[in-house]
Amino acid sequence: LSLHDALPICDAVQRAITEILRHEDPSHPFSDQQLVIKLRTMDISVSRRTVTKYRKLLHIPSSTHRKHT
């Protein structure tokens, strides 16, 4: 896998994370580990650390900071 091939994969993972979070319940936001599980159902296998890295790159706060009561 070359760097050129990896860029679209990174974009796809970031788009998937954004789409999942768009539909989350604001009172029960998904943790990074829950995002890993949801991504696996979409045949995207990444680690929690990778999800955290992409979430931060997208300027999306952690689940604790996204929670609205």
Side-chain angles (χ1 to χ4, degrees), residues 3-66:
L3 179 59
H4 178 68
D5 294 332
L7 290 177
I9 293 169
C10 295
D11 289 343
V13 174
Q14 289 180 27
R15 281 193 304 273
I17 291 170
T18 302
E19 188 63 24
I20 291 168
L21 294 180
R22 184 175 295 142
H23 299 289
E24 76 179 351
D25 179 353
S27 62
H28 295 85
F30 298 123
S31 68
D32 289 346
Q33 186 58 45
Q34 289 171 312
L35 289 172
V36 168
I37 293 166
K38 293 226 175 252
L39 289 166
R40 283 190 187 141
T41 66
M42 301 167 70
D43 292 326
I44 299 172
S45 183
V46 292
S47 69
R48 184 204 48 81
R49 290 178 63 182
T50 301
V51 168
T52 302
K53 179 176 86 172
Y54 289 152
R55 180 180 50 72
K56 288 179 177 181
L57 282 172
L58 293 165
H59 304 288
I60 299 171
S62 68
S63 59
T64 306
H65 291 103
R66 290 194 318 272

